[in-house]
Amino acid sequence: MRVFANGCDPKSSGQKGLPLSGGARERRCIVTRQVRPTGELIRFVTAPDNLIVPDLGNRLPGRGFWMLARRDVVDEACSSGFFRKAAKGSLAAELELSSKIEQLLLERCLGIVGMARRANAIVNGFEKTRASISSGRAVLAIIASDGARGGREKLLSGSRGLPVISIFSRIELGRVLGRDEAVFLAISNAGIAAKLQGESDRLAGFRESQITDG
């Protein structure tokens, strides 16, 4: 099997990507040259007007360029002409591309939280979240990045290995739940939790907050 060093999407060239366990694939970042699973990368395509467009769902047609899901990497690609070099032509990246990606990833993440709400697979509030964790129903905890530190420690005391996402503000979480704000949440659906963790990992590269383990 070959790993493609040009960072382009093999769908457009007839080539196959390198499969990983579980059917995942790897691509090479056009900036750092690191080969990473596509879940850790952002794919970009060229619009008809030669403008670079982020393809977060990896579904848009055309030649794709991949890079690590990190603000500094995207900023370097824009400022140092990596898109133009990879495409061997004239391409333009819109201003504040990394900030646009952050917002798009945030919307994807909050959309998944909304999916958990519609599936009745999420609880909100300290007591309900703690009960979900204590009973073993919770497979993922979400704690607002601007929540009280003491409350976080109390909530997670005694829980081991429970994934915790702390990258959204209380206002962002509250908006999804139809409230002014929300601080403590727990998801009980493993499939939804896995989707949220994957998108949150990418969003973390564009925000100072990070994903942590309880």
Side-chain angles (χ1 to χ4, degrees):
M1 297 270 183
R2 294 178 57 194
V3 178
F4 300 99
N6 61 3
C8 71
D9 182 7
K11 291 187 296 182
S12 63
S13 60
Q15 298 171 324
K16 296 181 179 179
L18 180 66
L20 299 173
S21 60
R25 296 183 180 277
E26 288 185 332
R27 296 292 186 271
R28 188 181 297 274
C29 172
I30 64 173
V31 177
T32 68
R33 312 306 295 169
Q34 295 181 39
V35 177
R36 303 299 302 166
T38 56
E40 300 176 17
L41 305 168
I42 302 290
R43 180 179 185 260
F44 298 85
V45 297
T46 306
D49 57 359
N50 286 334
L51 187 68
I52 288 294
V53 177
D55 176 24
L56 302 183
N58 302 337
R59 296 178 178 177
L60 295 179
R63 186 183 185 186
F65 305 94
W66 299 80
M67 66 184 63
L68 292 176
R70 285 182 7 210
R71 177 179 292 273
D72 62 322
V73 173
V74 174
D75 287 345
E76 183 177 356
C78 293
S79 62
S80 301
F82 278 95
F83 289 117
R84 176 178 49 79
K85 295 174 185 176
K88 298 180 180 179
S90 177
L91 295 178
E94 61 184 287
L95 296 175
E96 303 297 332
L97 179 60
S98 57
S99 293
K100 177 180 180 178
I101 294 171
E102 177 185 355
Q103 184 60 36
L104 291 173
L105 286 171
L106 174 61
E107 292 172 1
R108 288 174 69 89
C109 288
L110 297 182
I112 297 171
V113 175
M115 182 192 306
R117 181 190 183 190
R118 292 189 296 274
N120 293 320
I122 194 169
V123 294
N124 171 45
F126 183 86
E127 294 300 335
K128 290 182 179 180
T129 299
R130 183 168 64 173
S132 182
I133 293 174
S134 300
S135 67
R137 292 191 302 272
V139 294
L140 174 68
I142 305 173
I143 303 177
S145 57
D146 50 355
R149 179 70 182 179
R152 174 193 177 95
E153 294 175 350
K154 183 178 180 181
L155 181 77
L156 299 175
S157 61
S159 65
R160 294 184 178 181
L162 179 69
V164 180
I165 294 176
S166 186
I167 197 172
F168 312 112
S169 72
R170 59 176 67 196
I171 293 178
E172 290 168 345
L173 292 173
R175 187 170 76 237
V176 180
L177 301 178
R179 299 172 176 268
D180 291 335
E181 59 183 42
V183 179
F184 303 105
L185 304 92
I187 292 179
S188 56
N189 182 293
I192 294 176
K195 289 181 181 180
L196 182 58
Q197 283 181 274
E199 293 297 346
S200 296
D201 282 338
R202 296 202 294 178
L203 178 59
F206 295 85
R207 290 192 157 188
E208 294 182 358
S209 302
Q210 297 296 320
I211 309 297
T212 63
D213 289 329

